[in-house]
Amino acid sequence: HLLAEAGLLDELVAPSDNGVTKISNFHPRIVFCQPSLNDFMACDKKVWVAVRNRLISLFMAAGHEDDVIESNPSLHNNLPLQSNSMHLLENTLYHLPATIGDYTDFYSSREHATNVGIMFRGKDNALQPNWLHMPIGYHGRSSSIFPSLSTSCGSSVGSGKMSTIRRPCGQLQIDASDPTKGSTYG
């Protein structure tokens, strides 16, 4: 948001040397002042790539060049903008980057579909025959989506400004030296 307001993304939509606009129908100062990134996510892939490359160029060390992206000193030379737009992780409060209304999810594996089927229909009728022939979607609950800084194995990052959800690691061997002791969920 602050980088767009400072005009550091304007070059993406400015006319090039031959007068052709680089990206049409993209207005960074409007798109990035929204409370979510939904408008940005609705843009074409070429917009995402251009914004990504621009951000890389702004944060790239001066003098460091690669074949595609050239370093841009605009942020390096602007200490007030740096202090307003870059913060230590432990001082940061995370927000949901998107407004999620509704979504459809799909069973990702036979085991997932079977486990859910057991919950709804019992063990004898867990996997419906049509699951083997077409993807099965179900209505997701957007109310269960919120920001979290928990890592995949439940350890936390930062100063506790995050959800208390402990993310599972999947199955873990109880004793790595003795596989007969079975496994547990992380």
Side-chain angles (χ1 to χ4, degrees):
H1 163 69
L2 293 171
L3 298 178
E5 282 299 312
L8 296 181
L9 301 178
D10 288 351
E11 186 180 298
L12 300 175
V13 294
S16 62
D17 294 336
N18 62 6
V20 177
T21 301
K22 294 179 182 178
I23 300 175
S24 59
N25 298 323
F26 174 65
H27 307 284
R29 293 180 193 219
I30 295 172
V31 168
F32 291 117
C33 77
Q34 304 300 317
S36 74
L37 293 176
N38 288 32
D39 289 350
F40 177 62
M41 292 186 291
C43 293
D44 291 336
K45 183 179 179 181
K46 65 182 178 182
V47 172
W48 299 349
V49 171
V51 170
R52 177 183 178 272
N53 288 346
R54 179 64 170 177
L55 292 173
I56 289 170
S57 76
L58 290 169
F59 287 97
M60 187 180 286
H64 177 81
E65 311 295 331
D66 68 16
D67 295 340
V68 179
I69 303 170
E70 185 177 319
S71 176
N72 183 312
S74 300
L75 185 59
H76 296 274
N77 299 336
N78 190 334
L79 295 178
L81 182 58
Q82 284 181 29
S83 66
N84 284 329
S85 60
M86 295 186 281
H87 307 281
L88 296 173
L89 182 61
E90 60 265 11
N91 297 333
T92 306
L93 177 63
Y94 281 75
H95 299 275
L96 203 63
T99 301
I100 301 168
D102 254 350
Y103 69 96
T104 301
D105 202 354
F106 289 85
Y107 295 113
S108 59
S109 68
R110 184 179 188 143
E111 291 78 12
H112 180 199
T114 302
N115 289 337
V116 172
I118 290 170
M119 289 189 290
F120 291 124
R121 292 179 296 277
K123 196 169 191 162
D124 295 336
N125 195 22
L127 190 62
Q128 297 290 300
N130 62 345
W131 189 88
L132 299 172
H133 304 288
M134 64 183 203
I136 304 297
Y138 60 94
H139 183 262
R141 289 185 3 230
S142 62
S143 63
S144 64
I145 299 172
F146 53 92
S148 169
L149 266 183
S150 297
T151 65
S152 62
C153 291
S155 62
S156 297
V157 180
S159 63
K161 298 176 185 174
M162 64 199 79
S163 80
T164 56
I165 290 182
R166 186 180 183 315
R167 305 277 183 221
C169 295
Q171 281 191 323
L172 301 173
Q173 201 67 42
I174 291 175
D175 182 353
S177 63
D178 185 2
T180 63
K181 291 186 179 176
S183 60
T184 184
Y185 284 96

